[in-house]
Amino acid sequence: MSPREKYWLGVWNERHVFEPDPMPGKKKAFVTVPYPYMNGPVHVGTAFTAVRVEFYARFKRMQGYNVLFPWAWHWTGKSIVGMSQRLKKGDQSVRRGFVEVDGVPEREVEKFVEPEYLASYYTKVSRQVIKDTGFSIDWRREFRTVDPAYRKFVEWQYLRLRELGYVVQGTHPVVWCPFDKSPTGDADRSEGEGESPQEFSLIKFHLGEWALVAATLRPETIYGATNIWVNPEEEYSEARVDGELWVVSSSALLRLSEQKHEVTPVRSFKGTELIGRYAVAPLTDKSLPVLPGTFVDASFGTGVVYSVPAHAPYDLAALRDIQEGRLKAGRDAKEMADRIVPLPIISVDGYSQVPAADALRGHGIKDSMDAALEAATKEVYGDEFHRGVMTSASGPLSGMKVTEGKAKAVQLLDGTGRYGRMWELSEKVVCRCGTRCYVKVLENQWFLEYSNPEWKAKARRVIDKAAVRPEDARAWFNSTIDWLGDWPCARRSGMGTKLPWDPEWIVETLSDSTIYMAFYSLSKYVNGEKIAPESLEPELLDYVFLGKGNPASLSKAAGTTEKRVRDIHEEFSYWYPVDLRNSAKELIPNHLTFFAFHHAALFPERNWPRGIGVNGMIQVEGKKMSKSKGNFVTWRAALEKHGADGFRLALALTADGMDDADWRDRAAEDARSKVESVIPFVKESLRSAAKRDADMLDAWLLSSVHRRIVAVTEAMEGLRVRRAAAAAFLNTWNDIRHYLRRSEHPRAQTLQVVFDAWARLMAPFAPFMAEDLNRELGGKGLICQADWPSLKDFPVDEGAELAEAVVAKALEDARKVLKVVVGPRSKLNVYVSSDLTRQYFYELAAAKQKGEDVGQVVRKYSSAKIPPDRVFKLMYEVGSETLTKLLTHGNFDEFGTLDAASRFMSDELGVHVVVQKAGSPGTRDPGSRAKDALPLKPALFLE
RNA sequence: GCGGGGGUCGCCCAGCCUGGUCAACGGCGCGAGGCUUAGGACCUCGUCCCUUAGGGGUUCGUGGGUUCGAAUCCCACCCCCCGCACCA
C-alpha cells in the first residue's frame, strides 16, 4: 500500500466518515451486496460486484444522502467444513489450492483442519483487502453468519415463516453421500456433475418363488426381451422386500432400503448361481434364460438387466460375446445363447430391423467391453425415443409412438403387480470426499413453499415495485418466480442455525440469507455490547423489525432499558427498506428471488426492497476464472499490482449492465497510469494558465462540463458504472484537453472550477487520488464529504457549443480536402456564407422544419444560385440538434468565430488559414468558391 | 428442452428502447510525426475500399419484410454465453 493510500485511510477512519447513524429528516440510502462465502479469499469477481455498490455509495453520499454500506461474512454451509475435512484426510489438491492459489502461508494451512479457523483466516485477510481498497463501509456492523445474535435472528425468521405456513415438510429423492450423510449437489462432486435422480422401472421376473427384479428406463422393450443378464462375479442377495421375496444385487439392497423400501436380507450368493436358470417375464409369459453378463454393474440399479438385443447395443454385443466364444460361459449357457435371435419391436426410419446391429457396425464395436458402446447406446435410444414406432411384435403397444408405448407398458405392467419403481443415477456420481453417491429418499425434509401461488403473487409484486437495474433483468426475475418450486431449506450437516422446532436440522445456507440486511441495524448494538445476544427472543425481534408488542415489558424481559429497545427499532425503521442490493446475475434464480419472497412474507410493503442491481460474471483474459485453470485472481493480488485507484477504475471500466466483464491485466495497468497522470496534468495545466476575462471558449468548457455532470449523474442513478466512469474520467478529460489546445491562453479561474468539479466526478471511482487532487486545488475538508458538482456553476451555453461545432466541422472538412488533394497547399481560403445565402438558408430550413411551402422561399432567393437540395442535405448532415441551435441563435457570428479560430486552425492543419466572408468587398477568391458557402459549411479553396 | 443475455469496422466495446446528425463513440493493437541523449510515458494525426477538392462504394450474425430512409422496427433462421435447484 502506498503512503498516500495509508494516509487517507487513516483520515477517513479517524473522522468516522463512513459510520452513519440515523439522522431523522435526512434522506438516506441503504446499499448492500451479498456477504461473500469464506471458504477462500475474496477475488476479482467479488470485487467487481461489490465495487458497483461502493461507487454508488460514495456517489449518493456526495449527493447529500446519509449512506449506509455495511459488510458481513458468510460462514453457513458445508463447503468450509468439507474443505477442512479433505485437508485433514490429506487431500493434496485442496492443500495446493490454499497455498498456491489463495496464498496462505504453510503454518496457517496446518490449522485449517479446524473449519472455524479456516473461515476466520479468510475473513481476516478479506476484511483487510476491502479496507485497503478504500471501501466506504461501516465496519461497526460487521458480523458472521454463525454469531449467536445472528442465529437468534434466523430462528426468529423461521418461526415466523412457519407460523405463516410457508415452511412445510415433505419427502424427496436426493443424490446422497453416505460418508457425509448429506445430499451432494453439483459443486460437491468430483464426478457426475449435472446428474439428478431418475425414476427407473422395476420389472419382476418369476424365478421359482423369487422375483428376479430388473431395473430399466425402457419398460416398453419388455416385449423384445430375450434373456436376462446377471454378473457372475458379483454378489447377489435373496431378501424380503416390501413383503415379497426378491433377488437383486447385494449392493442394491442398501439403496432400496434408503428409498423407503422395507428390506430384510435372507442370504447372499454369487451371481453364477443364477446362470442357466429360467425366469418368466410379465405380460409375455416367456421363459427367459439367465446368462452371464460381465458388463452388468451390480452397484447400478438392481444388478439385474433384461436383454433386448434388437434395440440395446450392450445386449447385442454381450450376446455375441457368448455366441462367438469371446466370453466363456458354461455349456448350457452357451447353448441357450446360441438359440437367441434378436426380437425387433420398434421401427425407426434410417435403421434396419435391428438398430442395435447397425450401431455396432457404425461404431466398429467388437465386444461388450468397448468404450464406444456408451455413445452407440445414447444414439439408438435417442432416435428410437423420438422417432420410433412400436411394431406388431409388441402386442398391445403396436402402432404407438415409443413415448406412448412407454406409458402404456407401465400401465399394463402395474396391472400385473409385477412392477415397481426405483430412483437411480444414470451416471456415476462421486462426492468430493471420494465416496460413491446414490439416491436416497429423504423423509421429513423441510421446505420453503415457494410453489405457493399466493406467496408467488406477493413476491412478484415486490419485483414489480422495485427498481431493477438493468431493466432487462426483470423478465428473468419474473420467470424465476413462476418456475421456482419448493426449496429444501434445511439439512443435516455443516455450519449454521438449527431449526428451533426441529433441532436435527440446520437451516441451509441460501435460506438463512434472505432478509439479513435488516440485521445490520441490530448488529451495531450487539457489537457495541448494548444488547446481549441471548436476550434476542422472538418477541423482542417482533418489536425491533415489525414494531409489534410493548417495548416496556419486552425491555424488562431482555434486561435492558426501554429507550435502548426503542432506539434499535428506530434504527431499523430509519434504514429500512434496502435501497439497493446488487449481485451477480447468477444469483437471480436463487438468492435475489428468495430475497424478494421473504421480504414479501415477513415485512409490510413499505419495507420491501426499493432497488435491485444485477451485474455480469467476470472472466480473466477472456476465459472463465477458475482455480484449476490457474487464472484465479485474488482481490489482494489485483489490488497490489494496480493500486487501489487503478484497481477500482479498471473494474469500473470493464463492463456495464448484465454484460460479462473481462479482467485484463493490460487494461488495469492502463487505468492505473491514467489515474496517476491526473495530478501532474492538473499541476502542469495550472502552471501555464493566465489571468484573463472569460471568453467563448471558457463558456464552451463550462457548458461541456455541464453535459458531463448530467451524463455521470444519470449513469450512476441507473447503476451504469462503466458509462459513468468513462464520462467522469475520460470524456471530461478530453474536453479539458481540447480547451487547453484550443485556447491561446487558458484561463486560470476556469481551470480551477473545472478541475474542482472534475475531482468530484472522479471521487467515487478513485477516491485516494481525488482527495489528493482536492488538496492540491486548495479544497478544504474531504472530497468524499463534498457536494456533488452543481449544474448551476456550469451554465449551458448553446452559442459557445455552436461555435465549437462550427470550428470542428471546418477542420474536419479541411482535413478531408488536404488528404486527397495533391498540389499547392500553402494557404487555405475559408469562405463563410454571405448574408444573402445565410438568410436563404435560415428561411428555407425553418420552412422545411415546419413543413411549410419551400418553393416560395426558393423563388425568393433565386439569386443565391444554390439548389435547395444542398440545403436539405446539409440539414441532415449537421443534425437536428445543431440545426435547432443555429436557428434559435439567429445572431450567431460564424465569420467572427472562424476568423478568431484561424490561428488555431493554421496550427492544426499546418497550412496558413485565411477566413473571408463571401459577398464582402475585396474578397480574394481565385477559385470562385465563395458563392458555394453555406452556413455551417464554409467553402474551401487551397492555393 | 425451458428460461435469461448476446453476435458491430484486427481485438475489447458504445450505439439499438425514442429509424435520418452512422463508415458508426471510446480503449487496445498497428503506422506516421512531436517530445526525449535513447527507451518508456505523454501529445497529435492516421488506421474498411476507391478517390488530385470536402466525394463515391461496400459494411453492423444470415435471409426476408416495413419505410423516402434501417446497425436501429417486424418475421424466420444460424451461432455463442449463462442458469436449471438441496449449492455457495
Side-chain angles (χ1 to χ4, degrees):
Chain A
M1 204 185 350
S2 77
R4 297 308 302 160
E5 289 170 0
K6 203 165 199 159
Y7 172 76
W8 288 117
L9 287 173
V11 171
W12 296 334
N13 196 32
E14 273 162 34
R15 301 196 196 174
H16 304 285
V17 288
F18 306 130
E19 296 179 358
D21 291 314
M23 297 174 72
K26 186 171 179 181
K27 53 193 179 175
K28 63 92 186 179
F30 178 29
V31 300
T32 68
V33 58
Y35 38 39
Y37 187 64
M38 283 296 103
N39 64 343
V42 287
H43 49 81
V44 286
T46 327
F48 176 59
T49 297
V51 83
R52 292 156 54 90
V53 173
E54 157 67 5
F55 295 150
Y56 190 75
R58 283 185 178 265
F59 163 68
K60 279 285 158 187
R61 213 172 273 122
M62 292 178 77
Q63 276 192 327
Y65 285 75
N66 193 19
V67 175
L68 173 57
F69 180 18
W71 198 275
W73 310 99
H74 204 190
W75 287 26
T76 320
K78 49 184 194 179
S79 174
I80 291 171
V81 178
M83 287 172 85
S84 191
Q85 276 173 353
R86 270 181 281 144
L87 180 72
K88 209 169 186 171
K89 275 179 150 184
D91 184 329
Q92 286 308 308
S93 74
V94 190
R95 185 184 197 89
R96 265 201 304 279
F98 291 142
V99 177
E100 287 165 23
V101 181
D102 299 349
V104 182
E106 286 284 352
R107 61 175 192 289
E108 294 286 351
V109 173
E110 303 306 320
K111 304 182 211 160
F112 278 17
V113 293
E114 197 55 55
E116 280 80 9
Y117 189 84
L118 186 161
S120 69
Y121 176 86
Y122 284 128
T123 300
K124 186 180 76 189
V125 299
S126 297
R127 179 194 300 116
Q128 195 56 47
V129 73
I130 293 166
K131 284 185 174 177
D132 291 349
T133 310
F135 270 41
S136 56
I137 285 166
D138 183 356
W139 290 103
R140 297 174 304 165
R141 299 165 194 266
E142 180 188 9
F143 65 87
R144 290 140 296 272
T145 57
V146 296
D147 292 351
Y150 190 78
R151 291 178 192 270
K152 286 284 191 183
F153 173 72
V154 173
E155 285 172 16
W156 167 76
Q157 177 186 169
Y158 273 80
L159 283 172
R160 295 301 171 251
L161 284 170
R162 192 170 177 224
E163 282 166 12
L164 289 164
Y166 291 146
V167 184
V168 297
Q169 247 179 336
T171 298
H172 198 72
V174 295
V175 179
W176 184 259
C177 169
F179 180 84
D180 288 348
K181 296 193 179 12
S182 159
T184 308
D186 262 359
D188 299 328
R189 302 175 191 173
S190 61
E191 224 180 297
E193 237 180 273
E195 283 304 306
S196 53
Q198 266 186 299
E199 208 165 21
F200 278 61
S201 293
L202 294 182
I203 297 179
K204 301 169 192 169
F205 294 81
H206 287 329
L207 201 166
E209 56 173 340
W210 295 340
L212 183 60
V213 184
T216 180
L217 278 172
R218 310 185 73 198
E220 74 280 10
T221 59
I222 188 66
Y223 290 97
T226 58
N227 63 288
I228 288 170
W229 302 112
V230 300
N231 192 327
E233 306 302 323
E234 296 284 353
E235 186 187 284
Y236 286 77
S237 284
E238 177 187 343
R240 208 152 260 293
V241 178
D242 301 333
E244 298 172 348
L245 204 54
W246 285 20
V247 169
V248 293
S249 73
S250 298
S251 108
L253 286 183
L254 166 70
R255 281 171 284 127
L256 287 166
S257 66
E258 292 277 42
Q259 294 180 13
K260 294 186 71 183
H261 292 279
E262 205 168 296
V263 176
T264 319
V266 178
R267 70 172 185 102
S268 60
F269 47 86
K270 247 189 131 185
T272 0
E273 268 193 41
L274 296 165
I275 308 294
R277 302 179 68 177
Y278 282 89
V280 181
L283 298 183
T284 63
D285 278 334
K286 283 187 192 159
S287 272
L288 307 178
V290 179
L291 297 178
T294 45
F295 70 96
V296 174
D297 180 359
S299 53
F300 178 79
T302 55
V304 178
V305 178
Y306 71 82
S307 168
V308 189
H311 302 291
Y314 264 112
D315 294 342
L316 185 59
L319 185 62
R320 288 182 178 171
D321 280 353
I322 300 178
Q323 290 172 342
E324 293 163 18
R326 277 187 298 278
L327 185 91
K328 271 213 178 151
R331 208 165 143 187
D332 291 353
K334 172 87 164 67
E335 275 171 21
M336 289 170 177
D338 285 343
R339 284 198 292 275
I340 294 173
V341 287
L343 178 53
I345 53 156
I346 298 169
S347 72
V348 199
D349 284 348
Y351 283 93
S352 71
Q353 281 212 320
V354 183
D358 301 344
L360 292 189
R361 206 176 310 119
H363 287 262
I365 292 164
K366 299 273 182 288
D367 59 49
S368 67
M369 291 294 132
D370 197 311
L373 274 166
E374 203 66 48
T377 299
K378 227 171 219 168
E379 202 176 288
V380 173
Y381 282 21
D383 288 340
E384 290 185 350
F385 181 80
H386 290 111
R387 312 196 327 255
V389 177
M390 308 301 301
T391 68
S392 56
S394 65
L397 310 187
S398 79
M400 292 180 177
K401 289 184 191 161
V402 167
T403 42
E404 298 161 358
K406 197 181 284 289
K408 183 76 182 170
V410 167
Q411 192 198 330
L412 292 172
L413 284 163
D414 210 22
T416 65
R418 292 162 71 179
Y419 181 77
R421 285 170 189 278
M422 174 182 193
W423 293 99
E424 191 50 279
L425 299 160
S426 36
E427 272 170 46
K428 191 172 168 188
V429 174
V430 179
C431 177
R432 280 261 170 86
C433 77
T435 313
R436 170 109 182 233
C437 299
Y438 54 81
V439 179
K440 178 181 170 76
V441 172
L442 267 187
E443 285 185 278
N444 305 321
Q445 168 68 283
W446 291 99
F447 290 89
L448 285 162
E449 198 183 34
Y450 292 144
S451 63
N452 182 319
E454 282 161 40
W455 200 4
K456 274 186 195 285
K458 238 176 159 184
R460 190 183 272 275
R461 276 207 290 136
V462 170
I463 296 300
D464 284 347
K465 289 195 64 192
V468 177
R469 290 171 276 210
E471 191 56 37
D472 297 340
R474 194 183 291 280
W476 195 350
F477 275 106
N478 285 328
S479 50
T480 300
I481 291 171
D482 286 343
W483 159 85
L484 207 59
D486 294 349
W487 177 264
C489 62
R491 59 160 172 254
R492 300 284 190 173
S493 63
M495 289 191 222
T497 305
K498 289 171 177 159
L499 280 179
W501 64 85
D502 190 355
E504 297 282 290
W505 294 93
I506 295 163
V507 178
E508 175 271 337
T509 146
L510 282 168
S511 308
D512 81 350
S513 314
T514 55
I515 54 159
Y516 71 88
M517 314 84 216
F519 186 71
Y520 285 120
S521 302
L522 183 50
S523 64
K524 184 181 107 181
Y525 291 87
V526 173
N527 293 346
E529 299 185 356
K530 308 278 198 234
I531 192 151
E534 57 275 15
S535 68
L536 300 174
E537 292 304 321
E539 295 71 26
L540 181 67
L541 297 183
D542 277 342
Y543 177 72
V544 168
F545 297 119
L546 304 171
K548 282 186 198 159
N550 179 345
S553 57
L554 288 166
S555 59
K556 200 175 275 176
T560 184
T561 62
E562 182 177 342
K563 177 169 187 310
R564 175 68 36 83
V565 172
R566 283 186 186 279
D567 281 350
I568 299 176
H569 174 64
E570 289 307 314
E571 176 105 23
F572 167 79
S573 307
Y574 178 78
W575 292 117
Y576 239 60
V578 174
D579 293 284
L580 172 67
R581 180 161 188 79
N582 183 77
S583 103
K585 63 185 176 188
E586 74 257 38
L587 261 43
I588 292 178
N590 43 65
H591 169 71
L592 286 174
T593 301
F594 294 3
F595 164 72
F597 266 95
H598 288 238
H599 276 87
L602 293 164
F603 289 108
E605 199 161 321
R606 66 168 187 280
N607 279 335
W608 288 358
R610 289 208 182 116
I612 300 175
V614 176
N615 57 264
M617 332 247 287
I618 203 161
Q619 298 191 312
V620 170
E621 308 292 340
K623 293 196 180 77
K624 192 173 177 174
M625 181 169 78
S626 84
K627 293 197 173 184
S628 56
K629 276 194 195 124
N631 66 344
F632 191 84
V633 181
T634 64
W635 186 326
R636 172 59 70 188
L639 176 68
E640 298 205 329
K641 186 147 187 200
H642 308 293
D645 286 331
F647 180 51
R648 294 170 63 115
L649 183 62
L651 286 169
L653 291 173
T654 187
D656 236 345
M658 275 201 288
D659 296 341
D660 291 341
D662 192 5
W663 177 258
R664 284 175 192 259
D665 208 56
R666 217 203 137 81
E669 259 326 283
D670 192 57
R672 177 194 198 136
S673 70
K674 282 199 171 74
V675 172
E676 288 177 350
S677 53
V678 168
I679 290 178
F681 167 79
V682 168
K683 280 191 191 165
E684 178 59 32
S685 307
L686 287 175
R687 196 173 312 134
S688 58
K691 270 208 169 111
R692 61 164 173 82
D693 290 336
D695 62 13
M696 192 71 126
L697 208 58
D698 294 292
W700 172 84
L701 182 59
L702 297 186
S703 194
S704 301
V705 171
H706 179 105
R707 311 267 183 209
R708 299 303 179 198
I709 295 170
V710 169
V712 177
T713 308
E714 280 180 0
M716 281 309 296
E717 293 291 2
L719 217 61
R720 304 286 304 262
V721 167
R722 177 189 167 124
R723 185 186 295 235
F729 240 91
L730 311 177
N731 298 346
T732 309
W733 202 340
N734 280 341
D735 292 342
I736 298 169
R737 269 199 284 252
H738 177 78
Y739 169 82
L740 291 172
R741 210 148 63 90
R742 176 82 166 79
S743 172
E744 288 178 28
H745 303 287
R747 181 169 176 261
Q749 207 186 332
T750 300
L751 284 177
Q752 183 74 30
V753 297
V754 167
F755 284 144
D756 181 64
W758 192 31
R760 292 165 199 234
L761 290 178
M762 293 187 293
F765 307 102
F768 298 94
M769 182 275 284
E771 294 287 4
D772 278 332
L773 179 54
N774 180 51
R775 192 159 278 191
E776 185 68 38
L777 293 168
K780 306 261 187 299
L782 296 173
I783 200 162
C784 64
Q785 294 179 307
D787 293 336
W788 192 244
S790 163
L791 291 175
K792 276 186 278 185
D793 301 335
F794 299 91
V796 167
D797 187 327
E798 291 195 343
E801 287 178 351
L802 188 59
E804 276 313 287
V806 165
V807 173
K809 178 114 183 56
L811 272 175
E812 187 191 324
D813 280 351
R815 283 206 174 99
K816 279 184 182 168
V817 171
L818 283 166
K819 199 178 146 196
V820 290
V821 173
V822 293
R825 46 169 66 219
S826 58
K827 183 172 157 195
L828 180 69
N829 294 282
V830 175
Y831 304 98
V832 177
S833 63
S834 68
D835 289 336
L836 175 74
T837 318
R838 182 170 151 213
Q839 206 52 40
Y840 169 51
F841 178 89
Y842 276 36
E843 283 187 33
L844 192 58
K848 177 85 177 173
Q849 262 195 341
K850 290 183 203 146
E852 291 169 1
D853 176 26
V854 292
Q856 185 194 326
V857 183
V858 175
R859 280 189 294 279
K860 181 172 161 195
Y861 289 96
S862 57
S863 63
K865 295 210 165 55
I866 290 183
D869 280 355
R870 271 197 71 207
V871 174
F872 299 144
K873 195 175 165 218
L874 182 61
M875 284 171 66
Y876 273 134
E877 207 179 310
V878 299
S880 63
E881 202 179 308
T882 309
L883 189 67
T884 306
K885 269 184 207 167
L886 184 69
L887 296 182
T888 52
H889 293 77
N891 56 353
F892 172 62
D893 180 5
E894 189 176 4
F895 173 72
T897 299
L898 286 171
D899 190 41
S902 63
R903 171 106 165 260
F904 170 66
M905 292 195 286
S906 302
D907 290 347
E908 286 287 304
L909 298 170
V911 287
H912 184 54
V913 173
V914 179
V915 180
Q916 302 178 83
K917 184 161 182 176
S920 44
T923 305
R924 184 181 144 71
D925 185 11
S928 72
R929 301 265 174 179
K931 62 176 176 9
D932 294 331
L934 284 175
L936 301 178
K937 186 82 178 173
L940 306 175
F941 183 70
L942 200 57
E943 323 184 34

